[in-house]
């Protein structure tokens, strides 16, 4: 794309925004400090690298068999770097425990240590990125439908041990990168059909969590993710949104909002202001549910825009961790990362470019039509020229120019797998 044209467009946009009191230079700086946490699991359809790996379970599914999924750590790292090179800014990588560097060894979940993540720590350092982490309770013979809430104490203990070890690993990662590692805890526990022991399962989950969180871990941050249902677990979810809202708020723990984990007309965005007076911070899993928690690639849709706008309006930009969580196996996976990340960034950019102060004044003065007018006008303001400028300054392709880069990588790398 022609640089002088982009430049002219940005200068016009800058002036248009200045007229409504928005400093695009300041916003560009905020965008530079806005770090996504890219999930490692889009690259390989949530398979991971355990030697003893079985099929994906836990009520989640990646559909499609587009060629070129990463089959080992080297391929995954190469794919992530390719994706990162096409996304402006500097971003983190979010690992699941099953993505350890197990070096051909069978390492069960209750045996894992930071040793299996040392090469990831070194890789992250070499590439100027930081790591986040997740315990993995799915895709394992001992997880069945219930892990941390299993009535069988030996199974509960197995997953408690796993999760404690994951916290140790996260803390060690945090120390190594001199920045807290965000560890998300999601367990799929639930029932497929009618069941009568809900109180018991939830009680076990609470007890397991209490035990897991006993150890203080200063260089990691815990967060808890609930959901509404899983495939094969349709009738009851132990770790529901309400359960974790209560647990996080009582124990001062970060709550994770996955945008695919609510009823279809329920707004994830509305949870931001509802929770932030009660929990220390929020973690996001930005995703796109199509009819169910399908984890389609994030796009600039209304729910995503509203979520980011609510964060900015709440003044909570720095109280949120921005994880992505989609896994589409039916399209080019690098393309999925790039589209999802850039779309999330565009939503954040639009949120930052909103003349919120003015709108708020109108609202407080009871001038409803002006509120509506500015919100509508903001949609058609030249934010795209600001995003292009952001790409130019970060030396990444502007607009659809990332497509040939992905095509080249597909021809030279992923199609040969
Ligand atoms: C599942 C949750 C969870 C997973 C990842 C792989 O519904 O969203 O976050 O997607 O842990
Ligand atoms: Zn999630």
């Amino acid at each position: 794309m022609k640089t002088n044209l982009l430049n002219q467009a940005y200068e016009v946009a800058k002036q248009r925004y200045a007229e409504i009191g928005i400093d695009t230079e300041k916003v560009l700086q905020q965008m530079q400090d806005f770090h996504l946490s890219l999930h490692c699991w889009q690259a390989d359809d949530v398979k991971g690298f355990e030697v003893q790996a079985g099929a994906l379970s836990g009520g989640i599914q990646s559909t499609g068999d587009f060629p070129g999924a990463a089959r080992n750590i080297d391929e995954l790292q190469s794919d992530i770097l390719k994706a990162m090179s096409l996304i402006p800014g500097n971003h983190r990588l979010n690992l699941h425990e099953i993505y350890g560097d197990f070096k051909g060894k069978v390492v069960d979940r209750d045996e894992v240590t930071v040793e299996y993540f040392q090469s990831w720590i070194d890789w992250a350092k070499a590439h100027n990125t930081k790591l986040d982490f997740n315990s993995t309770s799915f895709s394992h013979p001992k997880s069945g439908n219930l892990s941390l809430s299993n009535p069988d104490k030996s199974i509960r203990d197995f997953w408690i041990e796993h999760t404690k070890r994951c916290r140790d690993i996260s803390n060690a990662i945090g120390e190594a990168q001199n920045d807290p590692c965000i560890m998300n805890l999601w367990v799929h526990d639930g029932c497929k059909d009618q069941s009568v022991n809900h109180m018991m399962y939830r009680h076990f989950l609470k007890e397991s969590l209490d035990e897991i969180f006993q150890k203080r871990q200063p260089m990691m941050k815990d967060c808890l993710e609930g959901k509404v249902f899983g495939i094969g677990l349709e009738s009851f979810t132990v770790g529901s949104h309400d359960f974790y809202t209560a647990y996080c708020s009582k124990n001062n723990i970060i709550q994770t909002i996955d945008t695919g984990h609510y009823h279809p007309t329920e707004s994830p965005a509305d949870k931001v202001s509802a929770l932030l007076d009660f929990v220390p911070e929020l973690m996001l899993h930005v995703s796109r549910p199509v009819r169910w928690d399908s984890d389609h690639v994030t796009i600039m849709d209304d729910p995503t825009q509203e979520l980011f706008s609510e964060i900015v309006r709440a003044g909570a930009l720095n109280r949120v961790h921005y994880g992505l969580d989609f896994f589409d196996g039916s399209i080019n996976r690098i393309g999925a990362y790039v589209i999802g990340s850039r779309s999330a960034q565009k939503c954040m950019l639009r949120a930052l470019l909103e003349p919120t102060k003015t709108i708020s004044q109108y609202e407080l003065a009871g001038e409803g039509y002006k509120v509506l007018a500015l919100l509508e006008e903001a949609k058609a303001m030249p934010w795209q020229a600001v995003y292009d400028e952001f790409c130019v300054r970060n030396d990444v392709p502007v607009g659809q120019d990332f497509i040939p880069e992905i095509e080249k990588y597909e021809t030279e790398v992923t199609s040969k797998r």
Side-chain angles (χ1 to χ4, degrees), residues 225 258 261 285 325:
E225 176 184 13
D258 181 310
H261 287 193
H285 271 189
D325 184 13

Side-chain angles (χ1 to χ4, degrees), residues 247-262:
Y247 194 91
C248 289
S249 132
K250 189 162 184 199
N251 296 286
N252 204 35
I253 288 176
I254 302 175
Q255 194 164 352
T256 300
I257 299 177
D258 181 310
T259 55
H261 287 193
Y262 299 95

Side-chain angles (χ1 to χ4, degrees), residues 315-336:
L317 203 56
N318 299 324
R319 289 180 65 197
V320 180
H321 305 279
Y322 299 90
L324 303 176
D325 184 13
F326 46 79
F327 31 100
D328 189 340
S330 74
I331 56 175
N332 180 299
R333 294 171 184 81
I334 320 293

Side-chain angles (χ1 to χ4, degrees), residues 183-370:
M183 183 183 134
N184 188 53
L185 200 169
W186 165 70
V187 292
H188 56 277
D189 296 33
C191 301
K192 179 183 168 96
D193 214 328
Q194 300 292 301
S195 48
V196 297
N197 287 305
H198 297 179
M199 188 72 215
M200 182 184 75
Y201 300 134
R202 287 194 165 129
H203 184 68
F204 280 139
L205 179 55
K206 179 201 168 287
E207 300 264 283
S208 296
L209 294 173
D210 287 349
E211 188 176 338
I212 286 163
F213 294 134
Q214 258 170 28
K215 185 166 170 188
R216 216 183 65 84
Q217 301 272 26
M219 284 309 277
M220 56 86 68
K221 292 185 180 185
D222 293 293
C223 37
L224 291 170
E225 176 184 13
K227 72 186 283 190
V228 63
F229 82 97
I231 298 290
L233 299 162
E234 289 86 354
S235 299
F236 172 68
T237 304
V238 185
S240 61
H241 178 74
D242 290 343
F243 177 90
Y244 286 125
T245 300
Y247 194 91
C248 289
S249 132
K250 189 162 184 199
N251 296 286
N252 204 35
I253 288 176
I254 302 175
Q255 194 164 352
T256 300
I257 299 177
D258 181 310
T259 55
H261 287 193
Y262 299 95
H263 292 284
T265 57
E266 190 178 352
S267 161
D270 186 54
K271 312 210 176 285
V272 172
S273 58
L275 293 172
L276 270 175
D277 264 340
F278 304 98
V279 297
E281 293 176 327
L282 295 173
M283 167 71 167
L284 301 184
H285 271 189
V286 186
S287 189
R288 177 164 53 109
V290 177
R291 302 195 184 277
W292 67 288
D293 181 25
S294 60
D295 292 296
H296 278 64
V297 176
T298 293
I299 56 172
M300 276 183 65
D301 53 10
D302 287 349
T304 315
Q305 185 59 60
E306 277 161 27
L307 177 62
F308 285 104
S309 295
E310 276 300 289
I311 292 166
V312 173
R313 291 167 188 161
L317 203 56
N318 299 324
R319 289 180 65 197
V320 180
H321 305 279
Y322 299 90
L324 303 176
D325 184 13
F326 46 79
F327 31 100
D328 189 340
S330 74
I331 56 175
N332 180 299
R333 294 171 184 81
I334 320 293
Y337 276 122
V338 176
I339 294 163
S341 304
R342 289 171 70 125
S343 299
Q345 286 183 316
K346 288 173 190 168
C347 288
M348 178 51 86
L349 175 67
R350 287 182 60 186
L352 292 167
L353 289 168
E354 179 183 273
T356 314
K357 244 194 202 149
T358 315
I359 300 175
S360 160
Q361 281 161 4
Y362 289 146
E363 181 178 316
L364 296 176
E367 299 185 296
Y369 92 91
K370 291 187 185 171

Side-chain angles (χ1 to χ4, degrees), residues 59-244:
I60 52 177
Q61 275 180 7
S62 166
T63 54
D65 56 357
F66 195 83
R71 296 164 301 181
N72 52 51
I73 295 206
D74 287 347
E75 290 180 356
L76 188 123
Q77 290 178 340
S78 157
D79 291 358
I80 294 290
L81 289 178
K82 186 75 222 174
M84 282 180 168
S85 76
L86 302 172
I87 304 164
N90 180 260
H91 304 287
R92 303 170 71 98
L93 180 67
N94 198 3
L95 292 176
H96 243 285
E97 184 272 344
I98 51 172
Y99 288 77
D101 188 356
F102 300 114
K103 302 196 167 71
K105 258 174 62 186
V106 173
V107 179
D108 207 352
R109 308 270 173 99
D110 63 342
E111 297 169 337
V112 68
T113 60
V114 70
E115 165 194 347
Y116 302 105
F117 291 89
Q118 191 52 52
S119 62
W120 273 114
I121 294 173
D122 298 341
W123 176 86
K125 194 168 184 198
H127 296 283
N128 190 29
T129 182
K130 297 198 165 109
L131 301 173
D132 294 318
F133 204 70
N134 298 256
S135 52
T136 314
S137 61
F138 51 85
S139 308
H140 188 279
K142 282 206 172 76
S143 56
N145 287 354
L146 300 165
S147 62
L148 287 176
S149 68
N150 203 303
D152 181 337
K153 184 166 184 310
S154 68
I155 295 194
R156 259 187 351 259
D157 285 346
F158 177 87
W159 292 110
I160 290 171
E161 181 61 27
H162 168 71
T163 318
K164 284 181 173 173
R165 283 169 180 261
C166 287
R167 292 184 79 233
D168 287 340
I169 294 168
S170 301
N171 198 66
I173 291 175
E175 274 172 3
Q177 66 194 13
N178 198 23
D179 188 65
C181 168
I182 313 303
M183 183 183 134
N184 188 53
L185 200 169
W186 165 70
V187 292
H188 56 277
D189 296 33
C191 301
K192 179 183 168 96
D193 214 328
Q194 300 292 301
S195 48
V196 297
N197 287 305
H198 297 179
M199 188 72 215
M200 182 184 75
Y201 300 134
R202 287 194 165 129
H203 184 68
F204 280 139
L205 179 55
K206 179 201 168 287
E207 300 264 283
S208 296
L209 294 173
D210 287 349
E211 188 176 338
I212 286 163
F213 294 134
Q214 258 170 28
K215 185 166 170 188
R216 216 183 65 84
Q217 301 272 26
M219 284 309 277
M220 56 86 68
K221 292 185 180 185
D222 293 293
C223 37
L224 291 170
E225 176 184 13
K227 72 186 283 190
V228 63
F229 82 97
I231 298 290
L233 299 162
E234 289 86 354
S235 299
F236 172 68
T237 304
V238 185
S240 61
H241 178 74
D242 290 343
F243 177 90
Y244 286 125

